[in-house]
Amino acid sequence: SFFCNPGLLELSLGKFRNVLLNQTNPVEAVIRNIASNVTVIIFQVHAQRSDVVISFDKNPSVNSSGTGVDKGLVSILQPQQSVCTWYLRSLDASQVLSTAISIPYMEKDPIPGGCNLEFDLEVDPNIYLDYTLVDIHIKFAPANLGYTRGANPPSCDSGTGQNSRWRLRYDVYQYFLPENDLSEMVLMSHIRKMSEVQSIKANGIKMLTLTTDDKTNVYFSSLPGQGVIYNVIVWDPLWNTSAAYIPVHTYACSFADLVDNCTSLSKLSTKVFFTALAILGLFTCFFGHRFWKTDLFFMGFIFAGFFFFVFITRVTGLGYDVRLILTAVAGIIGGLFLVASWWRFGSVLLCMFIIGLVLGFLFSSTVFFTPLGDYRVFRDDVVFWVTFSSVALMIPVLFVGCPRILNILASGIVGSYAVILAIACYVYTSLAYITLDLLRRVLNDYFSRAYTNVPFQTNDFIILSVWTMLALSGVTVQLRRERSEVPFPPHPYLTWKRERERRSTNVLDPSHHIPPLRERIHNKLLHIKEFFQKEQPAGERTPLLL
């Protein structure tokens, strides 16, 4: 239900109300008949994209108000107090849909933000969030122990024993909104699941637990276009009581930008690049081993393009489109170089090592895409890269005795994943982050601190099925077609050289009598010249001899 009366909003404890806010007429939110055993009320309001102002007074001040899309205030109740009042308004001239709730807590419940020393409010239960295209950063003020009405709050710095706030624990939760859904009503309905303690535990994903010794800030990988809600539950192990902070949401993108906004995240250059790569990848998936040079070009393109993109991003400040074009050029050169290397030297082992390394990188990235990648031990870059490289190198080592099988597996799996990357340019899928998170870790020194959990919903299961079907089909088709063929084509340079020597020594070979290349070109040009010459008249063409 919606409340749009510009005057008074009557609330009940623990009940959500949707309210339309505007800039000119503040809404007065009131709760009456508060029970005497309630010592603290946390009042919060949420909007999707427009900031709202929540305050204790009609005329907000810095120390008595908060502004944002997810904001809340803590009301410490006095003895005999049974009524609480807050004021709401939006910063936009147009109406803003929001949802509001007030949550009561008792004297033994911890108070979120009760030991705030960083932000403006004296008691600040809010979670502060900022994001980049790489990561999301949340931070919050430490909590304090609960206390009875009218008593003085426990000291925040009186000691570090079990009778102080230092015994408190903080559980950080994450909740994913439905994929590809940016509607306001979806956010309003789902943010309710992340507002109260029991609902958070039932619906959210517990990411980590912080002690009072830890810094109260956490990093997550950014998922542009995907709605995510974060919240923190503070737990008092002595009394076994808990309280929730104010949930905060983000889509890691802007609704207001004209380009690269939440509804059109992929650039045109990205779509062109990965669509072309997908076409080549799909061909390689089913025909890679038969068309060996095309397969080499595809793998060389990926290998050279990846490392070149990392290099120019690290050492230059070029724009994204320029870097992508240069990466495409470098990939083409790398693919041609691998083909030329095979033609000149014919080293199957060298080519298969590159192909196995590409497959190994994809396999290792998939391993760290699982919850294993969020283990604390892998926060250390040395541990991560040693483990990642060992897993990646394991693939070419395991298949060193059967290079044909390795090549067919690589062309089927890597080629089909190129199709998935192209799909990700048009429809959100978490499968793109298998390789994107690896690229982020290579390019950003501090990405190791970010938790890389991603949603896996219906859309992802469908696309995973497509990837699996393509990979299995491609591998099966190639294995059946190539089982009676030679493992690899003969060395092209030696074959050409041997054929040339045979033609030059075997006079019975008709090709031995083929004129040299220069003479053949000259004859061809003469033939073309005669074709354009003017035809001579019929009859006698020479003077009569007398």
Side-chain angles (χ1 to χ4, degrees):
S1 62
F2 292 91
F3 174 85
C4 55
N5 185 345
L8 187 65
L9 173 63
E10 294 279 356
L11 294 173
S12 300
L13 289 175
K15 301 293 184 181
F16 276 93
R17 290 290 302 275
N18 290 339
V19 56
L20 294 172
L21 302 175
N22 58 54
Q23 187 178 28
T24 56
N25 300 310
V27 172
E28 181 180 359
V30 178
I31 293 181
R32 308 180 192 277
N33 303 318
I34 301 171
S36 59
N37 64 339
V38 176
T39 58
V40 170
I41 293 179
I42 296 182
F43 178 67
Q44 54 188 271
V45 63
H46 305 276
Q48 185 187 39
R49 63 185 78 175
S50 301
D51 287 346
V52 298
V53 179
I54 177 174
S55 62
F56 291 114
D57 308 310
K58 278 190 175 181
N59 299 315
S61 64
V62 174
N63 297 327
S64 66
S65 67
T67 302
V69 292
D70 302 289
K71 283 298 171 182
L73 297 173
V74 172
S75 293
I76 308 294
L77 301 181
Q78 300 301 316
Q80 311 304 319
Q81 183 179 353
S82 62
V83 177
C84 272
T85 303
W86 304 273
Y87 295 90
L88 306 172
R89 66 179 179 87
S90 71
L91 292 182
D92 280 359
S94 58
Q95 286 189 326
V96 173
L97 173 64
S98 65
T99 187
I101 186 176
S102 55
I103 303 174
Y105 292 101
M106 313 307 172
E107 63 180 85
K108 292 184 178 180
D109 297 328
I111 301 175
C115 286
N116 172 45
L117 296 175
E118 182 178 357
F119 308 111
D120 293 326
L121 294 170
E122 182 179 355
V123 179
D124 195 338
N126 295 287
I127 297 173
Y128 292 85
L129 181 148
D130 55 68
Y131 69 87
T132 66
L133 287 176
V134 175
D135 59 20
I136 294 169
H137 177 212
I138 65 170
K139 56 183 178 179
F140 53 94
N144 200 358
L145 302 176
Y147 56 96
T148 60
R149 290 196 188 192
N152 292 323
S155 174
C156 291
D157 300 309
S158 59
T160 58
Q162 286 300 304
N163 292 323
S164 68
R165 71 172 180 93
W166 293 85
R167 71 178 187 237
L168 300 177
R169 300 290 184 267
Y170 303 88
D171 296 331
V172 181
Y173 284 82
Q174 184 183 49
Y175 179 87
F176 294 110
L177 295 174
E179 293 179 353
N180 301 307
D181 195 330
L182 304 176
S183 64
E184 287 182 314
M185 292 307 299
V186 166
L187 173 64
M188 297 299 130
S189 62
H190 284 271
I191 207 162
R192 301 181 178 191
K193 299 179 181 180
M194 290 293 288
S195 297
E196 299 180 88
V197 171
Q198 295 305 319
S199 182
I200 295 170
K201 291 181 178 180
N203 297 285
I205 303 169
K206 183 179 176 180
M207 299 300 299
L208 72 155
T209 298
L210 301 174
T211 66
T212 312
D213 294 326
D214 298 318
K215 293 182 178 179
T216 54
N217 60 74
V218 187
Y219 291 85
F220 298 89
S221 61
S222 184
L223 305 172
Q226 170 61 46
V228 190
I229 301 172
Y230 299 97
N231 207 345
V232 177
I233 294 177
V234 54
W235 173 56
D236 187 338
L238 181 62
W239 298 110
N240 194 27
T241 55
S242 301
Y245 281 72
I246 308 299
V248 62
H249 79 278
T250 182
Y251 297 91
C253 56
S254 171
F255 286 95
D257 291 346
L258 296 178
V259 293
D260 299 332
N261 54 42
C262 290
T263 57
S264 60
L265 290 170
S266 294
K267 294 176 177 287
L268 178 61
S269 57
T270 303
K271 292 179 179 179
V272 172
F273 180 88
F274 283 103
T275 301
L277 186 66
I279 295 172
L280 184 58
L282 188 62
F283 179 85
T284 305
C285 176
F286 288 93
F287 307 101
H289 194 73
R290 170 65 62 89
F291 295 89
W292 170 238
K293 294 178 184 178
T294 304
D295 187 25
L296 287 179
F297 176 82
F298 177 68
M299 297 297 177
F301 181 93
I302 293 175
F303 188 83
F306 178 84
F307 286 102
F308 184 79
F309 184 82
V310 170
F311 173 75
I312 61 172
T313 303
R314 279 285 194 176
V315 302
T316 71
L318 296 174
Y320 173 78
D321 290 340
V322 176
R323 281 181 286 143
L324 198 61
I325 292 173
L326 293 177
T327 297
V329 173
I332 292 172
I333 294 173
L336 293 176
F337 177 79
L338 193 59
V339 174
S341 299
W342 156 254
W343 192 90
R344 182 62 181 86
F345 302 106
S347 176
V348 173
L349 287 179
L350 173 64
C351 295
M352 292 315 302
F353 177 76
I354 299 296
I355 291 173
L357 208 56
V358 173
L359 179 60
F361 266 64
L362 180 58
F363 176 74
S364 189
S365 298
T366 305
V367 170
F368 283 95
F369 178 71
T370 66
L372 178 69
D374 279 333
Y375 280 21
R376 189 176 292 271
V377 65
F378 295 120
R379 298 271 176 262
D380 186 284
D381 281 331
V382 174
V383 174
F384 174 83
W385 287 116
V386 169
T387 308
F388 182 91
S389 301
S390 300
V391 174
L393 289 171
M394 182 177 67
I395 298 299
V397 171
L398 285 177
F399 288 92
V400 67
C402 41
R404 176 165 66 177
I405 300 298
L406 173 60
N407 184 53
I408 291 176
L409 286 175
S411 60
I413 296 173
V414 177
S416 56
Y417 184 70
V419 177
I420 303 304
L421 290 178
I423 294 174
C425 294
Y426 303 92
V427 179
Y428 175 88
T429 173
S430 297
L431 294 177
Y433 290 94
I434 292 176
T435 49
L436 184 56
D437 281 344
L438 172 66
L439 187 62
R440 287 172 168 179
R441 185 135 191 181
V442 173
L443 295 176
N444 300 276
D445 295 331
Y446 300 106
F447 189 72
S448 59
R449 64 192 176 184
Y451 289 85
T452 56
N453 189 39
V454 296
F456 216 80
Q457 301 176 7
T458 304
N459 197 49
D460 301 302
F461 282 107
I462 294 173
I463 296 178
L464 177 61
S465 300
V466 172
W467 183 18
T468 304
M469 181 191 66
L470 286 175
L472 289 177
S473 301
V475 170
T476 302
V477 167
Q478 292 195 74
L479 286 174
R480 290 180 61 86
R481 186 195 305 118
E482 303 297 331
R483 60 186 175 182
S484 59
E485 302 291 337
V486 294
F488 289 94
H491 184 184
Y493 178 72
L494 292 180
T495 303
W496 172 80
K497 191 174 181 180
R498 194 180 303 116
E499 184 68 17
R500 187 183 64 174
E501 292 175 354
R502 184 184 64 80
R503 288 199 306 264
S504 63
T505 56
N506 186 4
V507 296
L508 298 179
D509 189 343
S511 63
H512 176 78
H513 304 286
I514 296 177
L517 178 62
R518 174 183 288 184
E519 185 175 341
R520 280 182 285 158
I521 294 175
H522 180 70
N523 292 336
K524 182 67 68 175
L525 292 175
L526 286 177
H527 179 72
I528 295 173
K529 183 178 179 181
E530 291 174 359
F531 179 79
F532 288 101
Q533 280 183 343
K534 187 175 181 180
E535 185 177 357
Q536 297 291 331
E540 188 67 50
R541 299 191 181 186
T542 56
L544 293 175
L545 295 176
L546 298 177

